[in-house]
Amino acid sequence: TLSRLRAFRKEMLQEADRAMHASGSLFEAEVTERTPVGASEILRGSIFGEVVNVTGQEIEGRVGSPEIYALPVEDGRQPGKWPPPGALLQWVERVLGYTGALAQRVEFLVRRKIGTKGTRGQHMFRDGWTASEGRIRRIWKKLVSDVPKRHWR
């Protein structure tokens, strides 16, 4: 009947919202665990998950970081372009322990080395997805199996 169909649709949307939140939380946790701490823990602390779109037709979740350097950390940096001046000063001070003019000189050398050699990607999003994908698929498989069973026995 039409009322059963409406109840089914409503429950599917509610369960899809729950499944997306659970999926995002799993993926976010796996990414966060794999994100380098660096000098300030800013990147690791910036990882977020959110459900951004829930309509009668679709649901969308997102896991990411607003930090501009998240992509170069994920994918690495090809040789040829230096990081901007000052970008690594805090890292040089906190991780290497240099201060003042010496820290600025060392930061220059680190930027030059990165510009010459590049950096290796950390792949925290790629590897976080690999680690969470199976569990996320099980969440959604259970949803599409259980909800219809409750309504169409």
Side-chain angles (χ1 to χ4, degrees), residues 52-153:
V52 293
N53 188 18
V54 181
T55 68
Q57 303 300 315
E58 61 186 56
I59 184 166
E60 181 182 345
R62 183 181 307 155
V63 173
S65 168
E67 297 299 326
I68 194 164
Y69 60 96
L71 190 57
V73 172
E74 171 72 14
D75 293 335
R77 186 182 190 110
Q78 294 297 315
K81 186 175 179 188
W82 290 30
L88 301 171
L89 191 56
Q90 185 181 49
W91 182 84
V92 167
E93 291 170 345
R94 289 190 179 175
V95 175
L96 300 181
Y98 296 105
T99 59
L102 185 56
Q104 292 177 342
R105 177 71 182 136
V106 171
E107 193 244 6
F108 170 84
L109 296 172
V110 172
R111 289 187 311 106
R112 182 174 71 184
K113 176 83 174 207
I114 290 171
T116 305
K117 300 287 184 180
T119 60
R120 188 174 49 95
Q122 299 300 306
H123 307 294
M124 60 273 191
F125 287 92
R126 181 198 68 191
D127 296 346
W129 174 251
T130 299
S132 60
E133 181 181 14
R135 289 175 289 166
I136 290 170
R137 289 189 183 280
R138 284 191 292 280
I139 289 169
W140 288 94
K141 188 175 181 178
K142 184 171 176 22
L143 171 99
V144 298
S145 171
D146 289 358
V147 175
K149 285 178 186 174
R150 287 197 292 267
H151 286 272
W152 312 112
R153 293 181 198 185

Side-chain angles (χ1 to χ4, degrees), residues 11-24 50-62 140 143:
E11 184 177 356
M12 280 298 285
L13 287 173
Q14 290 170 342
E15 292 300 320
D17 185 62
R18 283 191 198 104
M20 185 57 76
H21 278 92
S23 299
E50 63 183 352
V51 176
V52 293
N53 188 18
V54 181
T55 68
Q57 303 300 315
E58 61 186 56
I59 184 166
E60 181 182 345
R62 183 181 307 155
W140 288 94
L143 171 99

Side-chain angles (χ1 to χ4, degrees), residues 33-50:
E33 179 181 308
R34 289 164 173 74
T35 301
V37 173
S40 64
E41 296 188 32
I42 289 173
L43 183 59
R44 182 176 275 186
S46 76
I47 304 300
F48 69 91
E50 63 183 352

